[in-house]
Amino acid sequence: MSTMGTFSGRRFDPLMMTPEDVVLEDIAHALSLLCRGGGQLKYFYSVGQHCINCMKEAKARGWSQRMQLACLIHDASEAYISDIIRPVKVHLSNYMEIEERIMDKIWRRFGLDDLTEEENRRWKQVDDDVLKLELMVLIEGEENAVCEELCSCPDLSERSWRDVEEEFRDLAENLAETADGKQCG
């Protein structure tokens, strides 16, 4: 059996994860250290910061705390299997299956395993809308790209990973407690 170690000291096979293996501390830490876009950006901008921006966009759109939490943790599988850029990810069917399996455990851990098709469509739309702005600001040569008008003002500044980790963790804890009355790990 192949196991991985996590920031919190857990060891498990990521292909055989259970919801109990999912720990907020591990997700917040890993995503705050993982650079978006395969690192091909003007400066360090983490997956964790992207997720925070998605959550804040959901909040600015007046969505429920449940949907805000979904937007915050939508990339949480990357804490366990890293980030692959979209142009490559679509060709890696096995990766996509693994990602989906891990996200199923994460959704369950956070009480979001019953998201409807419409709810899934909504968080995916926020992800795409925030991504378009990120590409325009953070990728050389994309300055003239067209992006959707957002309801929020995403923070695309270069931030300390420690600050992102703390904010992500605090937001997730608060949203998990109030979204459904369920605690997260």
Side-chain angles (χ1 to χ4, degrees):
M1 170 166 69
S2 299
T3 62
M4 70 177 290
T6 67
F7 177 69
S8 65
R10 287 169 173 70
R11 292 205 68 79
F12 56 87
D13 181 343
L15 299 181
M16 304 296 286
M17 277 179 79
T18 67
E20 293 72 33
D21 293 322
V22 176
V23 176
L24 175 57
E25 179 184 14
D26 292 331
I27 294 169
H29 183 75
L31 295 185
S32 70
L33 289 169
L34 189 60
C35 191
R36 292 272 290 165
Q40 300 299 321
L41 308 176
K42 293 177 182 175
Y43 49 85
F44 181 79
Y45 175 81
S46 71
V47 173
Q49 190 170 347
H50 161 77
C51 292
I52 290 168
N53 283 329
C54 288
M55 186 239 79
K56 289 180 177 180
E57 176 63 18
K59 184 176 183 175
R61 291 181 184 194
W63 293 359
S64 69
Q65 290 183 324
R66 171 184 163 87
M67 283 305 303
Q68 291 173 43
L69 180 60
C71 287
L72 182 65
I73 66 166
H74 77 277
D75 280 337
S77 63
E78 295 173 12
Y80 302 102
I81 57 173
S82 200
D83 187 19
I84 306 276
I85 59 173
R86 283 187 184 193
V88 174
K89 188 186 281 191
V90 297
H91 299 288
L92 303 176
S93 59
N94 196 342
Y95 176 89
M96 305 275 285
E97 291 168 17
I98 293 167
E99 180 181 51
E100 186 175 331
R101 248 191 331 205
I102 291 172
M103 275 309 297
D104 285 346
K105 306 304 184 287
I106 294 167
W107 291 129
R108 190 173 308 139
R109 182 70 168 143
F110 284 90
L112 297 172
D113 53 327
D114 61 345
L115 288 170
T116 66
E117 196 173 304
E118 173 62 18
E119 288 172 321
N120 282 313
R121 185 198 63 72
R122 290 172 80 190
W123 71 254
K124 288 175 184 177
Q125 186 62 56
V126 164
D127 184 30
D128 287 342
D129 292 348
V130 171
L131 170 66
K132 289 175 187 171
L133 177 64
E134 291 168 347
L135 292 174
M136 188 176 82
V137 173
L138 299 171
I139 301 282
E140 201 61 51
E142 294 291 327
E143 297 82 6
N144 296 320
V146 177
C147 62
E148 305 298 319
E149 188 171 325
L150 299 173
C151 297
S152 64
C153 233
D155 179 0
L156 302 179
S157 67
E158 190 169 7
R159 294 184 60 195
S160 155
W161 67 267
R162 286 179 178 88
D163 292 344
V164 171
E165 177 181 6
E166 182 179 347
E167 183 177 4
F168 186 102
R169 189 183 58 249
D170 290 349
L171 288 168
E173 286 172 350
N174 291 335
L175 288 169
E177 288 175 8
T178 57
D180 234 38
K182 297 181 182 179
Q183 291 287 332
C184 58

